[in-house]
Amino acid sequence: MSQRVFSGIQPSGTLHLGNYLGAIKNWVNLQDKHESVFCIVDLHAITALQNPEELRKKTLEMAKIYLAAGIDPEKSTIFVQSHVPEHAELAWILNTITKISELERMTQFKDKSSENKQNINAGLFNYPVLMAADILLYDTNLVPVGEDQLQHVEIARTLARRFNSTFGETFVIPEPSIVKEGMRIMGLDDPMKKMSKSAPSEYNYIALTDSPEKIREKIKRAVTDSGRQIKYSDDQPAIKNLLNIYALLDNARPAEIASAYRGKGYAEFKKDLAEIVVGFLEPFQKRYNSIDDQDVLQTLEDGKEKAKKMAGEKMGAVREKMGLA
Ligand code: ATP
Ligand code: LTN
């Protein structure tokens, strides 16, 4: 039976290979089997101070990234979170059934508030509640995300259950959807930390916009393990990470790639990996650059209408159940 898929990314910062392999690649596969809704979560982005012009630009860029990565507006709904006010409305309501202690446990809140001590705002604290609203408004069954978002999907499940048992059956209980090899792509400069756009060094990540020369240089400089062999094992986390990237882009299994390189050196493996990454990103960037802004705006307009209809129906039911109508 077809299920409903929902996911989103904030229109801030540069997208990297971790975002693509951990989340977007899975979205592209899921849209063929399931009714899918993909959102650009600008209301989440403003939990850090944004320049208005820049935010508008990044929102459009993110929509282009979705399209260039293969999200097909004929199959999926693509829209901007702030275009559908029901997200903020449901978030408010869910806030009233969320315990402060539940939000205090969120590791992303702890990380982000320690990174940016001057702006620990209430929106940053309530971020997971808005994310729960995003998910629950659309009767979502599956939420494809990277591992770092699992705790937030768990809160969405808790709030759905709590609402249903207090006010009557209203929300579907969502499940996370994770691709094992892609769920946590590690930094190229440190295989113990996840690849992240907020990393201090650009040698941590491969941006989806990096040039072929930059990609080759970054992979050449990627740290390797002290062992000499190319094998897929937890005690060689750096090579394991590179094998995961290779396998996901080549649609193969990491252990198979490892055995194809048995007896060969790291240099040869890295050289081939760089070409695999370039071979993926070059056509991606071509597609990205050929997308017309006017077409994207139209896609977002169509997406808004579809999303409004779904979200409006759900909010009607919520208001009714709570005595707000
Ligand atoms: P930051 O590191 O600045 O917090 P980010 O790079 O983690 O940002 P997000 O916008 O928070 O990016 O994440 C977008 C999506 O990409 C989420 O589904 C997230 O789980 C996934 N993701 C992010 N980083 C990775 C990674 N290193 N490996 C796998 N998935 C990832
Ligand atoms: N918090 C997520 C982005 C996000 C999201 C969502 C993901 C906001 N709402 C709903 C899945 C479903 C992140 O990646 N930082």
Side-chain angles (χ1 to χ4, degrees), residues 41-68:
V41 292
D42 54 350
L43 296 175
H44 278 106
I46 58 169
T47 57
L49 188 62
Q50 303 290 333
N51 168 302
E53 270 324 302
E54 193 67 13
L55 180 62
R56 220 185 309 279
K57 196 171 127 226
K58 289 267 177 194
T59 301
L60 201 63
E61 275 175 22
M62 188 58 70
K64 281 194 195 178
I65 288 179
Y66 286 9
L67 295 169

Side-chain angles (χ1 to χ4, degrees), residues 201-258:
S201 159
E202 66 158 340
Y203 290 94
N204 169 273
Y205 58 83
I206 291 176
L208 297 186
T209 47
D210 277 344
S211 66
E213 300 73 53
K214 192 97 228 168
I215 295 167
R216 292 188 185 105
E217 188 200 348
K218 285 183 175 179
I219 293 183
K220 200 168 177 188
R221 282 178 55 160
V223 301
T224 45
D225 308 289
S226 52
R228 279 182 190 287
Q229 270 191 44
I230 294 180
K231 60 173 188 188
Y232 191 64
S233 137
D234 285 338
D235 42 71
Q236 294 201 159
I239 288 295
K240 184 177 177 189
N241 187 44
L242 298 181
L243 282 165
N244 278 334
I245 294 174
Y246 194 128
L248 285 164
L249 290 177
D250 205 33
N251 291 315
R253 290 148 95 80
E256 279 167 20
I257 311 275

Side-chain angles (χ1 to χ4, degrees), residues 28-324:
V28 176
N29 294 330
L30 288 168
Q31 71 174 347
D32 290 328
K33 288 177 250 135
H34 304 291
E35 193 185 338
S36 304
V37 183
F38 300 116
C39 186
I40 299 156
V41 292
D42 54 350
L43 296 175
H44 278 106
I46 58 169
T47 57
L49 188 62
Q50 303 290 333
N51 168 302
E53 270 324 302
E54 193 67 13
L55 180 62
R56 220 185 309 279
K57 196 171 127 226
K58 289 267 177 194
T59 301
L60 201 63
E61 275 175 22
M62 188 58 70
K64 281 194 195 178
I65 288 179
Y66 286 9
L67 295 169
I71 305 294
D72 178 352
E74 300 286 321
K75 298 181 192 159
S76 305
T77 302
I78 305 174
F79 77 105
V80 179
Q81 191 183 30
S82 65
H83 292 178
V84 181
E86 282 81 356
H87 289 250
E89 184 181 0
L90 183 59
W92 174 257
I93 287 175
L94 295 176
N95 267 322
T96 65
I97 61 162
T98 306
K99 296 178 182 21
I100 286 186
S101 59
E102 286 169 327
L103 297 177
E104 278 169 347
R105 282 202 294 273
M106 295 294 110
T107 54
Q108 179 175 298
F109 173 69
K110 289 189 235 171
D111 292 349
K112 299 265 157 174
S113 48
S114 71
E115 276 163 26
N116 192 0
K117 292 211 170 60
Q118 322 78 271
N119 188 15
I120 308 179
N121 59 75
L124 190 66
F125 188 62
N126 289 303
Y127 180 113
V129 183
L130 177 59
M131 177 160 160
D134 298 341
I135 296 169
L136 301 182
L137 269 179
Y138 297 90
D139 283 339
T140 304
N141 306 98
L142 291 175
V143 186
V145 281
E147 192 197 33
D148 59 308
Q149 296 299 314
L150 286 182
Q151 211 184 15
H152 292 162
V153 178
E154 197 49 53
I155 275 240
R157 290 164 57 81
T158 304
L159 295 179
R161 282 200 214 92
R162 190 172 297 151
F163 189 98
N164 289 350
S165 67
T166 313
F167 299 104
E169 243 3 82
T170 309
F171 295 124
V172 170
I173 313 295
E175 304 267 349
S177 163
I178 294 258
V179 174
K180 198 170 128 261
E181 293 82 10
M183 68 182 190
R184 206 165 141 80
I185 298 295
M186 309 311 275
L188 298 182
D189 59 349
D190 180 356
M192 304 320 277
K193 288 210 191 102
K194 75 164 189 143
M195 184 177 282
S196 163
K197 62 189 163 222
S198 28
S201 159
E202 66 158 340
Y203 290 94
N204 169 273
Y205 58 83
I206 291 176
L208 297 186
T209 47
D210 277 344
S211 66
E213 300 73 53
K214 192 97 228 168
I215 295 167
R216 292 188 185 105
E217 188 200 348
K218 285 183 175 179
I219 293 183
K220 200 168 177 188
R221 282 178 55 160
V223 301
T224 45
D225 308 289
S226 52
R228 279 182 190 287
Q229 270 191 44
I230 294 180
K231 60 173 188 188
Y232 191 64
S233 137
D234 285 338
D235 42 71
Q236 294 201 159
I239 288 295
K240 184 177 177 189
N241 187 44
L242 298 181
L243 282 165
N244 278 334
I245 294 174
Y246 194 128
L248 285 164
L249 290 177
D250 205 33
N251 291 315
R253 290 148 95 80
E256 279 167 20
I257 311 275
S259 49
Y261 282 92
R262 190 168 301 136
K264 297 183 181 166
Y266 285 159
E268 188 176 350
F269 169 69
K270 280 180 158 186
K271 214 160 159 255
D272 293 351
L273 172 62
E275 294 320 306
I276 295 275
V277 176
V278 169
F280 165 71
L281 282 181
E282 247 181 354
F284 168 86
Q285 290 167 5
K286 253 205 196 119
R287 284 194 298 278
Y288 180 93
N289 290 322
S290 73
I291 298 171
D292 182 67
D293 282 3
Q294 239 21 64
D295 291 347
V296 185
L297 291 170
Q298 188 57 52
T299 299
L300 293 176
E301 200 50 42
D302 297 345
K304 167 172 130 184
E305 293 309 319
K306 288 200 265 172
K308 257 185 186 297
K309 188 160 177 297
M310 294 186 257
E313 279 170 22
K314 187 52 74 177
M315 265 324 292
V318 170
R319 289 189 210 106
E320 169 82 28
K321 296 229 158 131
M322 295 190 80
L324 296 168

